[in-house]
Amino acid sequence: MQPISKKASTLFVVGLISIFACNHGDAQSPVETQPANTKYKPAFTGQTRIAGVKTKAPVSVTLLSKDLEHPWGICVLPDGRFLVSEKLGTMCIITTTGKIVKKITGLPKVVPDGQGGLLDVNIDPHFATNRMIYWDYSEQTSGGTLLAIAKGKLSADETKIENIQVIYRATPAYKGTLQFGSRIVFDKNGNLFVSTGERSGNDIRMQAQALNSSLGKIIHITKDGKAVPGGPFSKTPNARPEIYALGLRSPEGLAINPLTGELWESEFGPRGGDEINIIRPGKNYGWPVITYGIEYSGEKVGDGIQQKKGMEQPVYYWDPVVSPSGIAFYNSNVIPEWKGNLFVGGLSSTHIVRLVIKNNKVVGEERFLKSEGERFRALAVGKDGALYAVTDGGRFYRIAKK
């Protein structure tokens, strides 16, 4: 199947499941066939290069729109439409047919350089009655840029956000434009989990291990930006009480598994070592002490170790990288074989990954939409049971049962 022409009209059925870039030959061989960057050995069988799988149900892929402006986050509104954040500082509301019906402006100024900008967006669990929206973005300060988390009420005409408040800032600020994170997920009590990046620089990355820094963490805060009471470090001297987990590099995916209630995360490794983790309170995920990747220069990271007592192993990792961004669990009965599967948007790999999960282990991997040549930034499962994806190139896809 040839990629869709950039000059194509707005609505296209891309194809059926036959376009999914699954396996090369044997259906049980791993989907990854390229050589790894390292000779590092996994900690357990199935931690990487698991057997490939193929979706059996007939599935159609439809390009709904190519008119979004650098989309970054997507969430489902109560009426089935989607709220999309755009990197340069706006949001929009788009329908399931791909029509952009509202443009939301007037948000706080963002720094759209590098990996910064207007990043994730999510709605309050009680949005139907309170119309509250939460988002994060890169903010300029005198000390550099940082990740700021804000909230506000969507106006009645859906064109602006009212009574905007910044509720949290991930400090310290840093004079760089890389690796802010970040995703926003609500827990069952209506509090926020937010992932923060460690900002990339060799002079700051170790703050992912520091309990007096917000960088390289999962932060757990209330809707007012305060630490959720009883956090794992709430009684640790000199620790920030809002820290829920630490040792993360660039966590751009965050989702709660609806079947277990546990928090899952995807993060970029350096050259190799992209990870999927189950995030548990108080746990240390190792960066930059342990990693399955190497520096972009080819040198080892730190001591070049992959395992250390007191540090968690990823559930799954990739080498070479897929550059995992947004993730979403499929929790619909429309495509039964996908229920409980984790979908991962790939950036540099330009495909979507489907991971089959059993007992918190990855037991199968599938890849699709490689032929589109798009960087898949964020995913969401619609109320109709379809998987929706937005790309850095401004495209909006619907993947659904045929």
Side-chain angles (χ1 to χ4, degrees):
M1 184 87 183
Q2 295 297 315
I4 296 174
S5 167
K6 295 294 183 181
K7 296 181 179 179
S9 58
T10 300
L11 185 64
F12 266 93
V13 175
V14 178
L16 303 181
I17 199 73
S18 59
I19 76 160
F20 283 22
C22 300
N23 308 310
H24 302 269
D26 184 356
Q28 294 302 311
S29 61
V31 294
E32 184 57 73
T33 61
Q34 298 302 310
N37 289 285
T38 77
K39 294 183 179 180
Y40 296 155
K41 302 299 182 184
F44 55 86
T45 301
Q47 193 181 21
T48 191
R49 297 187 183 236
I50 199 66
V53 294
K54 293 183 179 180
T55 298
K56 297 176 181 177
V59 175
S60 65
V61 182
T62 308
L63 172 60
L64 298 172
S65 174
K66 47 189 179 64
D67 298 326
L68 295 171
E69 298 179 16
H70 306 288
W72 209 95
I74 182 172
C75 63
V76 184
L77 293 171
D79 61 7
R81 297 178 301 166
F82 298 90
L83 177 62
V84 176
S85 58
E86 296 176 313
K87 188 177 186 290
L88 299 182
T90 57
M91 296 183 192
C92 67
I93 295 175
I94 189 168
T95 68
T96 55
T97 62
K99 182 179 180 181
I100 299 173
V101 291
K102 298 288 183 177
K103 198 76 169 181
I104 302 168
T105 59
L107 282 75
K109 184 178 180 180
V110 306
V111 183
D113 302 332
Q115 294 170 353
L118 177 55
L119 303 175
D120 204 22
V121 63
N122 209 342
I123 60 172
D124 191 288
H126 302 292
F127 176 85
T129 55
N130 65 23
R131 301 183 64 79
M132 293 297 292
I133 293 173
Y134 293 74
W135 69 98
D136 51 23
Y137 62 100
S138 54
E139 180 183 60
Q140 186 67 54
T141 72
S142 59
T145 54
L146 54 74
L147 183 76
I149 304 163
K151 69 177 182 180
K153 183 178 181 180
L154 183 64
S155 63
D157 65 1
E158 301 179 327
T159 63
K160 57 184 179 294
I161 298 178
E162 302 168 338
N163 302 319
I164 293 173
Q165 302 174 56
V166 174
I167 62 171
Y168 187 83
R169 290 178 169 92
T171 57
Y174 181 68
K175 294 185 183 298
T177 61
L178 302 179
Q179 295 177 196
F180 292 91
S182 74
R183 297 288 171 185
I184 301 170
V185 170
F186 285 92
D187 70 14
K188 63 182 180 181
N189 297 315
N191 297 311
L192 288 73
F193 286 116
V194 182
S195 62
T196 68
E198 42 75 282
R199 305 303 309 278
S200 180
N202 289 340
D203 57 339
I204 198 168
R205 61 166 54 163
M206 272 305 295
Q207 291 206 15
Q209 290 291 318
L211 291 175
N212 63 351
S213 167
S214 297
L215 306 184
K217 307 296 191 302
I218 299 296
I219 300 297
H220 199 197
I221 56 176
T222 67
K223 294 177 185 179
D224 294 322
K226 307 298 183 183
V228 173
F233 301 106
S234 59
K235 296 182 179 179
T236 302
N238 302 316
R240 298 193 177 188
E242 66 270 23
I243 294 175
Y244 187 80
L246 68 151
L248 307 177
R249 184 175 182 268
S250 184
E252 279 196 16
L254 203 62
I256 291 176
N257 185 337
L259 300 181
T260 67
E262 290 192 295
L263 184 66
W264 289 57
E265 172 255 11
S266 67
E267 72 178 84
F268 292 73
R271 187 170 155 189
D274 288 348
E275 296 182 0
I276 297 292
N277 291 292
I278 301 176
I279 302 296
R280 296 187 170 113
K283 298 299 184 181
N284 184 342
Y285 292 84
W287 178 260
V289 179
I290 61 171
T291 176
Y292 285 94
I294 55 177
E295 301 283 10
Y296 296 114
S297 66
E299 298 296 316
K300 64 184 181 181
V301 175
D303 293 333
I305 60 174
Q306 294 75 58
Q307 301 174 39
K308 187 173 182 178
K309 185 178 180 179
M311 294 184 175
E312 302 301 299
Q313 283 292 306
V315 171
Y316 196 68
Y317 74 87
W318 290 275
D319 183 11
V321 300
V322 297
S323 303
S325 191
I327 62 177
F329 279 96
Y330 189 82
N331 192 38
S332 171
N333 294 317
V334 173
I335 305 176
E337 66 188 292
W338 283 5
K339 190 155 188 179
N341 292 181
L342 180 65
F343 288 82
V344 183
L347 297 179
S348 65
S349 58
T350 63
H351 63 244
I352 295 174
V353 177
R354 170 189 167 224
L355 297 178
V356 182
I357 311 291
K358 288 187 179 179
N359 299 320
N360 285 341
K361 300 289 186 183
V362 176
V363 298
E365 180 176 358
E366 182 175 21
R367 298 178 175 185
F368 55 98
L369 287 184
K370 176 72 174 178
S371 63
E372 293 304 289
E374 292 287 321
R375 291 166 56 89
F376 290 91
R377 179 63 66 174
L379 308 171
V381 178
K383 290 185 177 294
D384 57 358
L387 180 69
Y388 291 83
V390 294
T391 74
D392 284 0
R395 293 187 167 202
F396 182 46
Y397 289 90
R398 180 178 186 262
I399 304 152
K401 185 175 181 180
K402 190 174 183 296

